[in-house]
Amino acid sequence: MYDAPLRKTDVEAQTTKIAARDVQVYYGDTHAIKDVSVDLLDKTVTSFIGPSGCGKSTFLRCLNRMNDTIDICRVEGLISLDGQDIYEKRVDPVQLRAKVGMVFQKPNPFPKSIYDNVAYGPKIHGMARNKAELDEIVEKALRRGAIWDEVKDRLDAPGTGLSGGQQQRLCIARAVATEPEVLLMDEPCSALDPIATAQVEELIDELREQYSVVIVTHSMQQAARVSQKTAFFHLGNLVEYGETSQIFTNPTDPRTESYITGRIG
Amino acid sequence: MPVTWLVFIVLALALAGFVAGRVRIDSAAGAGRPHSLPNYYGWNIAIKVMVPAFLVLICWLIVQPFVVNGAVTARLGDNAVPDGSTIGLVMSDVRRVAEGLDAAVSQGLMGADQASDLRTEFTNVRDRLAEAGVALGSNVTPQVLGAAQTWRALNANGMLLMSVAVTALALAGLVWGYVQTTPDFRARNTVENALRIMLLAAASLAILTTIGIVFSLIGNTIKFFSLYPASEFFGSFTWSPSFGGGSELGIWPLLWGTLYISVIALTVAVPIGLFAAVYLSEYAGPRMRAWAKPMLEVLAGIPTIVYGLFALLTVGPLLLSVFGRDGLGWMQAGTAVMTAGLVMGIMLIPFVSSLSDDIINAVPQSLRDGSYGLGATKSETIKQVILPAALPGIVGAILLAASRAIGETMIVVLGAGAAARLSLNPFDAMTTVTAKIVSQLTGDADFASPEALVAFALGMTLFVMTLGLNVFALYIVRKYREQYE
Amino acid sequence: MTDATFSGDAPKASGLLEADARTRRRNASERRFRMYGLAAIGAGMFFLVVLLTAIVSNGIGAFQQTFIEVPVYLDPAKLDKNGGRDPAQLAKVSTFGYTPLIQTGLYQQVRDAGIETGYEDARDMKALISASAAAQVRDFAIANPDRIGDTVTFRILASSRVDGYLKGRVSRDSIAQDKNIDAGHLELVDALREDGALRKRFNWDFILGADASESRAEQAGLGVSMLGSLFMMLVVLFLALPIGVATSIYLEEFAPTNWMTDFIEVNISNLAAVPSIVFGILGLAVFIQFIHLPQSAPIVGGLTLTLMTLPTIVISTRAALKAVPPSIRDAALGVGASKMQSVFHHVLPLAMPGILTGTIIGLAQALGETAPLLLIGMVGYIATNYPDGVISGFLSPNSAMPAQIYEWAKRADPAYYERAWGGIIVLLVFLLIMNVIAVILRRKFERRW
């Protein structure tokens, strides 16, 4: 199949954070991802778009080996983080996931307090030496998640009691609390109302300063709003990858054009 | 057996009604298509024949003995009761003599007239009845014989009346249904309504069962407390029934044994069951789940009598060889709290594991994803996210297991020993509420004595305890499930 | 619960390959936790294996029994003094009249075989012969009066001590204090065994026979109590299945949401958890004391177990009905069927496999239940006679398989313990068959919508 050429037209010279080469994913007998090769840049928001079932979420979950938790899923090809193959035998997926955090489609706060939700990651990774340090990490993460002002007076309240948008920002705060290098977001706004979506999108833009962010989205407008790079998936193939503005205004592949103009999808 | 005949008569009438209804509606077909299928007209009549007739039959059969009993008791009067006896005992003699006369007549040893004219002055009734295979404890007094004859006469009259009433009712139903059978009549709706009422009646049996349990427990418990003070029952720390009277029937030693054994059982079952459930739902591959789960559930399918025997003959002697006189010297006999508790724990493993498995599986996958996404290991996810989230459900499951342990009978009857004692040594023999219910009701005690009636008070205690635990546990589990739905 | 402490090493940006100390610790804890899980499953399996081993190793012996082949001379001088071979006259000779004949027969056989014993008297043979042998020979003589005067070879039961010796339960040490048998008898048993007259055979009478009194373990069988269980299960099947299905249909398809329905539902879920012994109390108080049904009769046991099994059947039937998709009901209603017709013509047939599976599992549960039977008098009744017919099968006193096992266990005699274990094997075989049928039904008719 046809692979999107990797364009080196970036304004700022940015380093590649994650590189994927000829990645194949199988669910039992189903070939879900075919020959995907892509370079994801540091300090950049990359969005994956495409019709439902095109494999964009599956590919995203390969990037921090979340697919390991599914028995029948098999991944082939090479995916590297900072040049290190993440599927190599010696790599501990647990350490990998500490570096490549993830935010999910549905907000999924643990049934614990807001504080414990955020503190959970730092605790299991031993990032704090004492309570004061932990407090500091939690506050920083909540601030970075743009939710500190709303919850600072009720850190002991259960995380499940927040509104949908707040819950999702809490989950983002929870993800950044472990100081990841890459943040994967699987349709983070699909369960949110427009106002909450706007808040989360704003947050994503801020996160770009420190992380490489990869976001899967159904909404082309959202991709256009938040991302600098866009990859279009179709039937398990990466059809086109490039600057967001270029993909949306001047796609090279006819399938991309059909999708963007609403003829397929 | 007049009742059997009566049943056949009603059934025959119902069949006749069914056929008649079909024939009538078929022949009336000229007047346009009838509202319902012909069978519904047949069923309409059959139901009208059977339902009222059988209802009356059943009620009559239940009520008649009480009416007869009351009438005969009234006629006997107080002077027929010898000293040291009660009207109840005399009445049971009367019943026995009446049954004996029935048996004698049916075996042809006596004519029907002879049975009603029998006089103690002229015949040794006891010997005559012994010929018919009915052994009596003492000679028959004239009053008892007279009462027995009255009893038989009343019963015969009642049966006759009942036969007439039931047959008449069945016939009336037949006529009513037949007259209804016209093409305009909505037979299907009528039949379906009747059917729906019957379904409701079946469903109400559950209520009836509960009422039956509550009444049989309460009635006898009240009787027990009228013979034995409730304050002693709930206040005494001694359990020493003696059938000669002067028993001390304090419930505490039994409750203590019950709780001690249950605690040991849960100490075995909860960790093993819980860890097994966690492993099966979070770690095991599909192939391991496919054989390990059913294997564990085999333990749940084994009847408790098997566990009882296992406790008595395998685990008991094994423990005795280690902790008994030849070993550590803590144990006197194979039957002990530890024996019963261990075996009961084994029995409860699959109960705890399958309940916990359901509950752990109800924890949404998104919570696991969230934790893995942060770089938590599986065990960290389980210990810090899944188990806390599932905690209420697991507590519910443990409470259900506890209620199972408290109500378990066979294992403690065979494995725990019979001595009621308040001791801390788990290698002592102790006994439980359930074991004492069995021993008090299967002994030779008279059912009217406090030693037998105490079983109902124990049963009441058991029922209240397990019911309370269940209601509470189910409430917790339901709350838990709602949280994730 | 929390192993996340603050004692961590300094936060660091570790590589993906080399695990730092903390990660190694976390992974070790992960492995430990996994081991606990495996150990728990291993413990469960271990208990299962121990239990099954105990059952099989202790119970398998019950299916074999020691028999002796003895030529018995049916002496007309003792059995039929008047001649004439009139069965009524023959019946007047009690079993006591036959015992010496058997003992003499065995004594003669021992001498003919040239076995050296220290016994001078035929009565010394008593220790080898089951007390049941006399009745066996007597029955034969009364049934075949013309054989009186002949020498007939009978295969009679050896006494339970001898049987125990062959099965390793009885040894020369263990009989040191025994009045009934001494070491010389065991020598004799060894000799007879070599001679071929005495050996173990498969014992159909254990499976099909009747229970015996407390002193004749060698004769006891499970057959009568098996019939008792059969009649109880018939009652349960014919009451619990229709009532359970009717209840489920009402609750699942017709019940309005009101307090009455709620009340029924609460009742059913609570009855499912009421201890079985309480159902025994109910059976005793209602069926025996109140309605005066005969004590120890299978009908009472059946009724009690019906009430106990109903919640199980209702719960599984409702699950089966729920699994039928609403589209089926809509389709039936759409062509003008009444609600009742849609349920009975479409939903119920589709749910039938699930209902049957649940019913079989409920029956299996009822078959093994013992506690309620204790209270309605099915234990303590010695099931020595087969019921005369179907009606008496339901109404006359009987035992039931689990009650019989309990009864044997209570007799505190190793020979009866072996019988109890053997009874458990038979019971478990029945349960296994029922469960296999249920699994096959479920596999065969399982439907995914």
Side-chain angles (χ1 to χ4, degrees), chain B residues 40 192 210 283 375 379-380 470, chain C residues 3 26 30 267 273 285 338 341:
Chain B
Y40 283 107
E192 288 186 351
T210 311
Y283 285 104
S379 63
E380 285 161 353
N470 281 317
Chain C
D3 61 353
R26 285 173 61 196
E30 168 76 19
N267 266 292
S338 68
Q341 286 169 326

Side-chain angles (χ1 to χ4, degrees), chain C residues 8-23:
Chain C
D9 308 67
K12 59 324 68 172
S14 64
L16 288 178
L17 287 183
E18 57 288 346
D20 57 84
R22 183 177 176 83
T23 309

Side-chain angles (χ1 to χ4, degrees), chain B residues 40 66 192 200 202 207 210 212-213 216 272 283 303 305 309-310 313 375 377-380 384 413 438 442 470, chain C residues 3 26 30 34 40 51 247 250 263 267 273 277 281-282 285 290 338 340-341 368 370 374 406 409 421 424 431:
Chain B
Y40 283 107
F66 291 95
E192 288 186 351
L200 173 63
I207 299 180
T210 311
I213 290 177
S216 54
I272 295 182
Y283 285 104
I305 174 78
L309 207 65
F310 183 60
L313 298 180
T377 63
K378 262 194 168 168
S379 63
E380 285 161 353
Q384 298 183 39
V413 165
V438 171
T442 53
N470 281 317
Chain C
D3 61 353
R26 285 173 61 196
E30 168 76 19
R34 214 186 153 101
L51 182 61
T247 305
Y250 179 77
F263 190 54
N267 266 292
I277 185 95
I281 296 180
L282 171 77
F290 188 71
S338 68
M340 198 62 84
Q341 286 169 326
T370 322
L374 300 181
Y406 175 71
W421 286 113
I424 280 176
L431 294 183

Side-chain angles (χ1 to χ4, degrees), chain A residues 43-93:
Chain A
K43 304 211 184 340
T44 305
V45 178
T46 308
S47 59
F48 291 176
I49 60 169
S52 303
C54 67
K56 52 194 192 301
S57 287
T58 304
F59 185 65
L60 187 77
R61 291 170 70 97
C62 291
L63 299 181
N64 71 343
R65 294 183 59 176
M66 278 302 278
N67 284 331
D68 288 15
T69 58
I70 300 167
D71 291 329
I72 55 165
C73 183
R74 193 154 51 83
V75 180
E76 286 172 9
L78 180 85
I79 300 176
S80 62
L81 174 69
D82 293 332
Q84 167 64 50
D85 178 5
I86 61 168
Y87 276 90
E88 198 190 326
K89 262 213 176 86
R90 288 175 299 159
V91 170
D92 188 344

Side-chain angles (χ1 to χ4, degrees), chain B residues 37 40 62 66 95 188 192-193 195-196 198-200 202-207 209-210 212-213 216-217 220 268 271-273 275-276 278-280 283 288 291-293 295-296 298-299 301-307 309-310 312-314 346 349 375-380 382-384 387-388 400 403-404 406-410 413-414 434 437-438 441-442 447 455-456 459-460 462-463 466-467 470-471 474 478, chain C residues 1-4 22 26-27 29-31 33-41 43-45 47-48 50-52 54-55 58 242-243 245-247 249-251 254 260 263-264 267-279 281-282 284-286 288-292 295 307 310 336 338-341 344-345 364 367-371 374-375 379 402 405-406 409-410 417 420-421 424 427-428 431 435:
Chain B
L37 293 174
Y40 283 107
I62 292 175
F66 291 95
R95 248 183 313 233
R188 199 197 66 230
E192 288 186 351
N193 274 335
L195 204 54
R196 185 186 292 230
M198 283 190 244
L199 293 180
L200 173 63
S204 310
L205 189 71
I207 299 180
T209 309
T210 311
I213 290 177
S216 54
L217 288 173
N220 287 303
V268 174
I272 295 182
F275 269 112
V278 164
Y279 190 87
L280 284 177
Y283 285 104
M288 169 142 185
W291 68 262
K293 249 179 103 110
M295 289 287 271
L296 276 182
V298 168
L299 282 174
I302 291 176
T304 53
I305 174 78
V306 180
Y307 284 106
L309 207 65
F310 183 60
L312 176 70
L313 298 180
T314 308
I346 295 174
I349 289 172
T377 63
K378 262 194 168 168
S379 63
E380 285 161 353
I382 292 163
K383 281 186 280 192
Q384 298 183 39
L387 288 184
L400 284 179
S403 131
R404 207 25 102 86
I406 290 172
E408 173 48 44
T409 310
M410 294 320 295
V413 165
L414 286 168
T434 49
I437 293 176
V438 171
L441 283 179
T442 53
F447 271 138
F456 293 96
M460 190 81 207
L462 180 68
F463 182 67
T466 51
L467 194 68
N470 281 317
V471 170
L474 288 178
R478 187 168 314 150
Chain C
M1 243 6 189
T2 55
D3 61 353
R22 183 177 176 83
R26 285 173 61 196
N27 285 341
S29 132
E30 168 76 19
R31 273 192 299 278
F33 191 77
R34 214 186 153 101
M35 283 310 299
Y36 295 150
L38 262 181
I41 291 185
M45 299 295 149
F47 289 136
L48 181 63
V50 170
L51 182 61
L52 293 181
I55 293 169
N58 288 312
I243 296 177
V245 170
T247 305
I249 289 180
Y250 179 77
L251 290 177
F254 294 102
M260 176 79 175
F263 190 54
I264 293 175
N267 266 292
I268 288 173
S269 59
N270 283 333
L271 283 179
V274 167
S276 57
I277 185 95
V278 173
F279 283 98
I281 296 180
L282 171 77
L284 174 69
V286 172
I288 294 180
Q289 291 184 333
F290 188 71
I291 309 191
H292 292 292
Q295 207 171 6
L307 295 181
L310 260 179
S338 68
K339 177 89 181 150
M340 198 62 84
Q341 286 169 326
F344 279 89
H345 296 168
L367 182 62
E369 191 56 61
T370 322
L374 300 181
L375 296 192
V379 169
I405 293 168
Y406 175 71
K410 253 186 12 181
Y417 287 156
W421 286 113
I424 280 176
L427 181 63
L428 288 184
L431 294 183
N435 279 292

Side-chain angles (χ1 to χ4, degrees), chain B residues 152-177:
Chain B
R152 290 193 66 223
L154 282 176
N155 256 337
N157 287 342
M159 283 293 171
L160 188 67
L161 257 175
M162 178 181 76
S163 308
V164 171
V166 168
T167 317
L169 214 57
L171 277 172
L174 186 103
V175 172
W176 180 27

Side-chain angles (χ1 to χ4, degrees), chain B residues 28-43:
Chain B
R33 214 165 72 134
H35 171 270
S36 313
L37 293 174
N39 271 345
Y40 283 107
Y41 291 93
W43 277 116

